[in-house]
Every structure is written in structure tokens, then in C-alpha cells.
Amino acid sequence: MKRIFDEVYGTIELDDASVNLIDLPEFQRLRRIRQTSLAYIVYPGATHTRFSHSLGTYYLTNKIGQRLVHEGIINQDELNVVKVASLIHDIGQFPFSHAIEAYYLKQGLGNKEVRDLLLRGSFGDSLSNYGFDPREISDIFSGSSLLTSIIDGDVDVDRMDYLVRDSTHTGIQLGRIDLDRLIFTIMYKEKGISVRDKGIISLENFYLSRLHMYQAVYYHKTILGYELFLTNLYSRLLEECESIEVKDVRETISNQTFPYWDDEWVFGSLYKCYRENPNSDFAERIKDFLDRRGPKVVFDEISYNEKDDSKFREATETLNRVIPEDFLYPYEESITIFDKSRISIISKEVEVTVDRYPTLLQSIPEKLVIRRIYVDRRFVDRAREFM
Amino acid sequence: MKRIFDEVYGTIELDDASVNLIDLPEFQRLRRIRQTSLAYIVYPGATHTRFSHSLGTYYLTNKIGQRLVHEGIINQDELNVVKVASLIHDIGQFPFSHAIEAYYLKQGLGNKEVRDLLLRGSFGDSLSNYGFDPREISDIFSGSSLLTSIIDGDVDVDRMDYLVRDSTHTGIQLGRIDLDRLIFTIMYKEKGISVRDKGIISLENFYLSRLHMYQAVYYHKTILGYELFLTNLYSRLLEECESIEVKDVRETISNQTFPYWDDEWVFGSLYKCYRENPNSDFAERIKDFLDRRGPKVVFDEISYNEKDDSKFREATETLNRVIPEDFLYPYEESITIFDKSRISIISKEVEVTVDRYPTLLQSIPEKLVIRRIYVDRRFVDRAREFM
Amino acid sequence: MKRIFDEVYGTIELDDASVNLIDLPEFQRLRRIRQTSLAYIVYPGATHTRFSHSLGTYYLTNKIGQRLVHEGIINQDELNVVKVASLIHDIGQFPFSHAIEAYYLKQGLGNKEVRDLLLRGSFGDSLSNYGFDPREISDIFSGSSLLTSIIDGDVDVDRMDYLVRDSTHTGIQLGRIDLDRLIFTIMYKEKGISVRDKGIISLENFYLSRLHMYQAVYYHKTILGYELFLTNLYSRLLEECESIEVKDVRETISNQTFPYWDDEWVFGSLYKCYRENPNSDFAERIKDFLDRRGPKVVFDEISYNEKDDSKFREATETLNRVIPEDFLYPYEESITIFDKSRISIISKEVEVTVDRYPTLLQSIPEKLVIRRIYVDRRFVDRAREFM
Amino acid sequence: MKRIFDEVYGTIELDDASVNLIDLPEFQRLRRIRQTSLAYIVYPGATHTRFSHSLGTYYLTNKIGQRLVHEGIINQDELNVVKVASLIHDIGQFPFSHAIEAYYLKQGLGNKEVRDLLLRGSFGDSLSNYGFDPREISDIFSGSSLLTSIIDGDVDVDRMDYLVRDSTHTGIQLGRIDLDRLIFTIMYKEKGISVRDKGIISLENFYLSRLHMYQAVYYHKTILGYELFLTNLYSRLLEECESIEVKDVRETISNQTFPYWDDEWVFGSLYKCYRENPNSDFAERIKDFLDRRGPKVVFDEISYNEKDDSKFREATETLNRVIPEDFLYPYEESITIFDKSRISIISKEVEVTVDRYPTLLQSIPEKLVIRRIYVDRRFVDRAREFM
């Protein structure tokens, strides 16, 4: 057993099996991938990593899991497996998470696919050596069992940890959730969750925190702009200086250099590329990124449903005509906040749907739709002229 | 004016002059230098940067400074200058701070010299453009005025901020200090500080926290081992792959690429070096570092005075004979905890020395002496054999 | 100036005028009135008092007020007056707040009336002696100026402080609000408030916290039961042992014994009454209260609108027939959460109504309606039989 | 099982046996005895009670105890008993703790004796009914076993809880201790404690926090003055209005009215006494107490050893001649901070004494001696004249 200091929970105890997994290079890599990508540009304290988030997720799984074992809902073996799954759930994350994943996703490779590749490769072998079946863990990730619900099921330990952790590091209170109460009133099912009426306000609070954190951090105007900028720089980087396409990612996994493909690698490569040709146009843009001269929003529309994207389309078309493609970043995303149909409430031993119980959940929007257009700083005036 | 979220103080307000300075690439660079170097290896949350520490130091300077202006001890102009000085006090820090500085210090280049070079170069020009006199600021750093005491005088804003900030991020309570009380009872003088009797326990607490943080974080057994390892790897890196000697550092300052010499650059360079020659002995050691297989302590001695280093010398000599130089890291450091002669206490309007007032300060050790010998993992058994 | 430690904000600085007011017996009395009445029965840490809440309210007024002075919206004199008003806003609170106020309200005497009586009596004279005009302060309380909005206008400093303070003391996270952001984005007007779009999520958060704190603390099932029990015991106490009717309250104010009519007085009187006749039926009920054998809920209905109270009425009528009046507490309350019409949002320099901006405020219920029936423990079975 | 919100630890889980004990009137009484007596006069947030402290102590016992069971040092039965003992350890506390206890201690009745009387009376019977042996618990309190060390052995759960809890409520950081680390590195023995070298700084921190809290809270100049004032008023109260001498306390226990002898009773009695004779000299002093016009310090001497009390004696004698006894409060107390001989350190599997290990414990003073003379406000000038 090992004890690790955690800035959120105080101390996290790791059992011996987990200590072994943590020592693997693929897990150590997570120390070099920031949890909230470029959010530190706006919230300087948000430099925490997928490593500490993974430990935190493990910690919560253990806490909820022990309750479920105690209540006879899962057994100790299942707890052990879901603990491992929660520990390694982010093993396939890309450098700078979604910003770089965006590049590969277009070609069908996302972090879940990478995780699967790792589980089927030497990382999976290590799991086997330590007595875990990589396929069983893979099944939790892809399945729809109760165990899946715990780590990837809306009100899951992954989200619980990151809401609290990201709140702590950004210094904003909005994301604080009532973890203690939630942990003891939530019940996982194969399809969705239920919550006892005592815990309903904790669940409301969870969804509201999430909604607020989307707005204050994950889709923050400035942060998102820098992430789009980085996605753009990355594709240029691959064209001009480095070559790490989908097949190369696969190769890093098989030749075990994957652990060194991380946030630092991206910065190191930008520096290298910058130095090799310091007077190029690309070098200038790298410098813009590093010196914090990111793109600006010229169109911004937030709504709670997907209807009517006409203004956005129109603006995009207009700007497409007057601004070079490489300097224009239209962005449209429909984020599911929550899915009422997957939640039920247990009141006086009876299970009812959200619609039949007086709760704020009824009025929380199910979707958050963000439509924005960013343009590079040097084209802001031009963009505004045409809008 | 700008408002920045801070994970320690909630919000930090920046005046317009500071906003300008923060936007300079030399300051943005601090976002990419971790405040506590490799401490995150033991405390995963300790990934915060010199950037947020610099903002925090500025915040405290403003808080104490406003009190001093109110009390007629300094004037508004002095406050403005010392605010700028505190904001940029870490501008000359090396990548991974002391770990890399150690390499250059042998050749006479430390972070204060780099700061001076920056102030005399284009960064200084920018200060001038924004209405500040770089020489005046330089004088605060090198001088011994009351203003110097505020930012570099033992119980200074620099240390106040990092004790609290590093406590928050490591999750350990030991470093928490009673900032509020300290800020309102401390008095800066040209040589040292005085404190009103009401505040004496806050001052005791400050020194005790510092002593504890030295042991729990700054000179933590494992963390220090990794830092010595990194210093060693860095000199090897410069021999084999990169060339950035003292004269090159000076050049980065004059050609303005200094802002891109940071933690990420070091990692990026190690990756590059590793890939160029993946089967070399050096590559293997880089991998050890990244995968967290650092050196081990075989000799450990902590004391509160410098006397009697015979055991340490003896052990070093013995090991020198049986372990290759590159795999052996003897370490000896005498850290000044505090200097009684610089502190006085104001009780009933009379100023007395520490010895004449019943306070724990009398019994806090003035020095902490650390003597350790680390060896590379593959030589641990051999080292133990001979000791 | 005086500095007081505060468990929420760290330190509160009081100017000399406030120090004088705090030293008055009428203000010291607030040390002996718990902020959240009987909430400590469920949340043992909630023993904090109106005294610390009053200081906290003063602190926030000063913080917001300085901003408003800086922005030229109010002047320093107005700030001074509103600071005093916020400091003394709770001066007229009854022992155990609403639980005892309920008794006198039926006869037209509430805490606002008592506050007014105090301002017109010797407490007002003290204000005059310290240079404040009691009538001016009275006007702020009763008026509808911008100053009124600050301390009693929905998103006011009173509520901000108690949400944060009550959260801290109950140990529940739900009430935490993003104070820093709210304080800098809210704008007070004569009728209501407006908020800049940057601050909209803080405002949403404020209302949601409030809604949650109503459910988790202020109208918590058990707590409310004990408060109704206490109201009932109090009227019995006045019948049997003490005599302090409306005219007596007025007299305590004129003879200056009002400062000793507080929570402790109520307990002391119950003890006295209990001892004088320890075998009476009333003594038994006092003992029930002290030993925590409170009433039980037999009917519970929460909704977001006032429609359809038929079930509640019917149940009340039924129980009225079978349970003695003294042992039955039907409770119906319609709480206004917020009034959309008083809020506007400033986006891109244009002021719009809540309905025209995508915000959760649109879907937060405007009312919370609580309908409950409590019965004394010894009649629970009988009540359940008839329902 | 029951879950209680705690403002320090978040949630405390109580097993069924404990829930029963908590429901007893003798335990509910602790809700009405403030943990830090009159400290709230200086720290307005310090209104927390022996009730929440008792729950917190139980929580820590359970945490440490589970570790000890896991390590095979105690068994589950012992854990169950020590949990009960820690829950009820403060059951015999007097109203306002030491302030009122001081009155009875002169006649040989302290809180431990009262606890014993309760255990031998009907409270003990209740314990028996719930399956616990009151004598076994009594033995833990009076004995010197390992179990005794846990709840009353210097670095015990009682002190751990109150340091952290009192820190939280006073808003001062000084008392924060590194609980997590301490809990996992401390080892209880029959006589004293030992600690692993890893935990030594947590132990240093514990003692230093304690020393600081003695100065900042428990023996704070103003607070102590009010406590001496209250002790004085109390003896006067018993002379003039109420009669509750040692034999009466014993009677409250046998007739089961003891649960209603608490802080509120003291205030209630003072009010009653005040009203019965509002123009008496005693009434005036009661009013002084309630309106916060306490005694003033005219002599103040703090030292780390007991030697040389000549100045204190001399001053006391002088003042005795010129100030009426009832208005003069000389105070002398020698507080043991820690006893080196009871502590050992385990380093590399060897147990050594504090003197043989480099630790701050060597230089922490073993005693804190406080000598003060307070006089009633109306005699301050006279006292100063003669000193």
C-alpha cells in the first residue's frame, strides 16, 4: 500500500496492484498531460494533470465501490476491476487532450481507440502480468453494465473528480459539488442512474455545476480560441516539421515510445520548428501562440437548443469569402448536459421519472449549443467590417 | 484594470501597467516553468508555475504596500515600483529552477544575473516604454533598502506567497501561514524586520512552516534525488545533443529567443536526443528519468549545525572508489533558516532583540544542514555493500 | 480601526465608527442569537450567531461599496451610511429568529418593527452621538433607493453573507457562491439589479444556491419541525411562566433590558418553568424539546407553484378532527425564489430582460411552495392511521 | 447507521450503538456547552459546542482505530469500546467548561469526577442497556492502557480534533495540523507514543500548533479575563440567587436534571438575578459582563519555565492592599506543552529518544508559564498608579 498526497482529498491510498500500474511508463506519461489543456491561459492555477485526476477518479471509485460492496450490489472482484479501469481510463488521452485529438478524430482515432490499442499491446500485457484481464477492463469501457455506469455514465466518478479538481485549481466556486451526499445517495444501474429523494438536491447541484463549468472553463471564450489555434498549428506542424500521422501513433504504441508523446513533446516540437526557420510565416504564428496573442471572437451565440443556426451559417459564409481559411475558426458544438430519460428518483421506495417529482432537474436544459467564430488577430478588423 | 482568478487568493486585480508587463513574452515564459520544479513527482498537484507565484507575490506586495502607504512609511511611487519589482522578480529563473541553474551557477550565471541581463536588454526597454526605470528596479533587487526587504528580506512577500501556494498544491497543511495577521504586524526596515508582540506567533509560525516545507517539499528525499538526476542529465544533454552554454544563454537574451527556453524545452530536447539514438546508454538514462526510476539515497544525515561532516566525507570517499562518478550524487547543503540578529520585537513601544522576549524564535534552529548521498538504481546494491 | 478574525473571510477591518456601534449592548446581544435558529439540531456546526453574520454583511457592503464609490455611483458619505445600516440590519431580530418572531408577528410585531423601535429609542440616540442620523438609516431600510437594494434587494449583501456563512458552518457545499465574481459584476438600481453578461453564471449560481439552501437548511424537514415545536412551546411558556407580550417587548426597549432577551433567555425560562412544576404536562414537552424528541412529518409536499392545495387542506382537516390542536402543526409557505421582472442583463452595452438572453435564470422556478403537516411524536401512529 | 454533516470532516458516519448514545439527554446537553467557553468574545465564529467536538473525536478514533485493527494492534471489540469512550469523554464537562469548573474544583469536583458519577448512575445504566460495560469504559478513562493513550495521552484524538476544529471556527490558521499524516504515522503505547521518522514533522507541527493555540485562543489575554470574570460572577450568583453547590450537582445527576445544567442555564440565571434586583451592585457587574466591559490586564508575564515568580508575587501583594478582592484576579498557570520522556522516534526500525534524533522537538519548550493580573475596569487607573 502506498499513500499519495492529493491537493483535493488530502491523501489517496493505493493498493499494491495500483502501485504497479502507476509505475508503468504509459501511466507516468499522464503526469505530462495537463488535465484542462490550455485552460491555464485564463486560470493560471489550472496546470494540474491527467495523473492527479486519474488518482482522484480511482479514489472516488473506491469510495463508492466500497459502499456498493457493503450493500451487496457488486462484489469485491468487481470492485477490484472497476478500480483498475477507473485508474487507467485516461491512458489514451492525446497531448493537450481534445485540442490535438481533434486532428486525429477526423481520421477516426480518438482517445478511446488509443486506449484500446494500448490495452491490446504491451500495456495490456503488463496488466495481465499483474493479474488483470485487459479484455475484462476493455469490456467495462465499451459495455453498458453497472460497472460502466460508475466510470462512464453521466454522473460518474470521472466527472465528479474533474468538477471538484478543476474548481480547486481554477479558484472558482461554481464547480464545487456536494460529493459526500452524492456518493451516498446515488445508485448505478445498467442504463442510467437513480437517486434517493434525500440526494436529489446533490444531483441537481451536480448537473448545474457541470453546466457552469462548461461555460466558465471548458468552453470559455478565450480558452476555446487557443485550443482551436493549437489544433490549427498542430496540423501545420505535421506538414512542415514532424510527422506523426495516425499510423505513426499506432507505431509509437507498438515500439513503446508512446509514453513520450505528450504536452511537452508538442511544445518541444514547436520550439524546434520555430528555430529551424525563425523567419517563416509559421514561426510567427508559433510565436503568437507562445506569447499569448490568440484569435478573437467575432461571432458568439449560446443557446439551449439546436434550432436555427442560420445566423451562424451566414456569418461563416461571409467570412469565408474575405478571410483566408487558415486564419478563421468557425466552431459549433452541441453539448448534452443531461438525458432525463436515464435518471429516476426513488421516493418512499417507489421509483419515479424526473417529470413526476418536483425537482430542478425538470428545468435544467438538456443541451448547451455553442456557436462561435474566431479569427486570427490580424484579421479581426477585416472580419468586423463585414459583419 | 484586469481581474485574474487565483487558486489561492480568489481574485487578483492587476493595474494597467502590470497588465502590459504580463503580456511580454519574457513574462509569459513563466507559465512554462514549474514553481516547484520536480516536486510534482511526489506531490502530483504541484504543477503550478512561476507565473501564478509571480502574480501572488504582486498581490501580497500590493496588500502590504497599501498598509505602508497608509502608515506614511513609503509613498505611492515607491509602491508602484516595488509592485513591478515583485511581479518580475522571477523573470530570470532557469528551466526547472535550481535543477538547471545548478549547471550554470558553477560558471557564475545564476537567476539573478539572468534577471539583470534581461533588465539591461530589450525587456528593460519595454519597462522603460511603460514608464518604469529598469535601473531603479534593478537597484531594489541588489540594494538593501526597505523596499528590498519587502521582496527579498527573509520574511518577504516572495516566501509568504510560495509557502501558502506550495501548501495548497501539495495538499499538505504544514506550510499554511497566518498571512492575514503577519501582513498587519510586520514592519520592514533597511536591515531586517521587526514585528509587534501581537504578531509574534505569526512570525514563529512563518519560520516553522518554512522549516517544515524545506523538509517536506524543497529538500524532500525523493524530489531532491530527481533534481540531482536532472542536473546530471542536463550536462550530458549539452554534451551530446544540444549546445546552450553560458554564452548561448546570453545570446538567447539578445536575440529574444530566451522566452522559449523553459521546462518544455528541456523535455523536448531530452525526447529529441532519445529518439536520435534510442539504444545509447544516455537514452536509457533519459528513459529512467521519464519513467520514474530515479536514484536512491544510501546516506542521509540531517542536523541543525554544520559541525562534523566526517561521516559524510568518509562515505563519499568510499563510494567514489567503487561507483562511477556519473552515477553517484553526494549532496551537502547548509540552509539558513533564519538570522536572529536581523529580527527585533516591538513590545510596549520598545524594540527588543529576540533574546530578550519569551518567544519560540529563541529556539528555532538557525540552520538546517542536509547531507545525502544518492546513487543510480543499478548501483544501489553495490553501494550498500561498501557502507 | 479594529481587526476581527472571521471564520469565513479571514479578517474583517472595522472603522472607528463601527467599533463604537458594536460595543453597544443592543449589538452585543446578537452574540446570543444563533444565525440559523435550531438548524444546529441537524447540522451541529451551525451554532454561529447574528453577530458574526452582521460583521460579514458589513464587510461585503464595504467591498461592494468601495467599488461603487470608485465607479462614481455612490459617494463616500452614502457608503458610510450604508455600512452602518448593514451592520445593524439584524438588530431587531427575535430570540431564535423566526421561531419566536412567529408568535409576535400574529400581533403585528416583526423584527423590522423592533428595529424601528430601537432606532427611535436610546439605540438611535447612541447613533446620533456617534454622528449618524437614525432617520437616514431608517429610510434606507424602508426605502427603495439604490442603497436599499444593496442591503435588502434580493441579491443583497445580507443574503450573500448568510449563504456563504451557513454553508461553512453546516459543512455543505451547496450554498457556496462565487462571491468574488458576483461582487464585481452586479449593479444595483433603484428597482432591482442588473448584471453584466460576464457575471451571469455567478448570478445563476447565487439563485440556485439559495434554492438549495432553502431545501437543505432553512426549510429542512427536521429543523422546521423543531422550530414549529418551539413556537408552540413559547406561547405555552408565556401562558404559564413568563409574561412578555408585545407591550412588554416595547417596554424592554424603553427600559433598556431588551439586550438580555435572547436565545439564552428562552432556554433559561424553559428551565425555570420546568423546575417549578416538573411533573406537569408542559414540563414533559419541554423535556421532549431539550432531549430531541421533536414532531414528525406525516404529510410532505413540495412544488414550484401555489396551485392545488387540496390534498394539504384535506389532510389538515382530517387530522384536526383526531389530534389535539396543540400537538398538530400544519405548515404552508410560499417562498419567492426570485422575481424575474427585477433583473436585467447588460450584454454588449445593451440592457435586456432575462427572457431575451440564454440563461438558466429563465428556468429557475420563481416560487418554492412547501406544505407539511407535523404531529407530536405520541400522535404519529394515530395520524398515520387516518391518512 | 446515521450520517451527520460536520463542518470540519464533511460527513461523520455513526454506527447504531453510537446513535443510541447520542440520543441520551446527557449527550444532547453537550449541544448547549460551547467548546471554547467564552472565546467567542474575541473570535465571533467560535460558538461551536462540545457536541460537535465529541462527534469529531469519535470520527478520529474510528479512523486511527481501524488502522490499529488492521495492523493487529487492537481488536474490533477494543475498537468498539474506545469509540464509545471517545464519544462520551466530555460528558462531565461543566457549563462554560473551565470557567465554572474552577469554582467546583476547589471543592474537589472536576469534570472527570462528574463523568464518573454519570457512568455510575443512570447514564451508565443506559450504556449497559446498549451492551456496553460502564466500568470498562471508566477503566479506559482512569487507566494507562494503549486505549487510554488514544483518547487521553498527549497526542490524542481529543486534542487532534479540537486543534483543527477550533482553528476552523476562529478563522486562524495556526492550529491547523497535518492530521492525515499524523494519523498514519503515530503509534500508541502504554506509556506515551512513538512516531515513525516519516511522521516526525507532523508531530512537531502538532506540538507547535498546540503551543500557538494556547497563546492565540485558550489563554488569550482578553478571553482569559472574561473567564476569570465569569468564575467570579458565578460564585456571587450562587451566594445571592441560585444554590447549586457540589452536593446539588450530585443531586442533579441522581434526579436526572443534570442535562439542563448548561451554558444557557448560567445565562438564564444571571438574567433572572439581574431582574430581581436591577439596581444592586451585582446587577451592575452582570451587565458589565453581558455588555462586554470585562477586566483589564495590568501585569503580564509569559515564560517557558517556572522560575522566578517574584515580580508577580510582589505585584499581587501590592494590589491586594489597594484593590478590593472581588475586583482583582491574579492568575498563574504552568501549562505542560509536552513531556519529552513519553515520546520516542522509530527510525530505520530502531526506537530512539527525542534527544538522539535531529528534530525540533528537542527545542520546543516543555512548559508555558502564564502570570497575569487582571483588575475590574473601574480599578484600572488605581492599579496602574501603584505599579
Side-chain angles (χ1 to χ4, degrees), chain C residues 96-134:
Chain C
F96 289 104
S97 306
H98 313 299
I100 303 298
E101 188 180 33
Y103 178 84
Y104 295 96
L105 258 184
K106 287 183 227 149
Q107 300 160 62
L109 190 79
N111 78 79
K112 298 191 176 184
E113 286 73 29
V114 173
R115 184 174 62 193
D116 248 31
L117 291 171
L118 286 163
L119 280 171
R120 275 188 269 130
S122 65
F123 182 76
D125 296 343
S126 304
L127 283 183
S128 300
N129 290 342
Y130 294 128
F132 296 100
D133 178 356

Side-chain angles (χ1 to χ4, degrees), chain D residues 301-313 332 334 367-371:
Chain D
E301 199 183 73
I302 289 176
S303 63
Y304 294 132
N305 63 62
E306 288 164 357
K307 286 174 248 160
D308 192 17
D309 62 349
S310 57
K311 277 189 199 153
F312 173 71
R313 277 172 189 282
E332 185 174 18
S334 171
K367 276 185 189 314
L368 177 69
V369 180
I370 291 173
R371 295 190 182 99

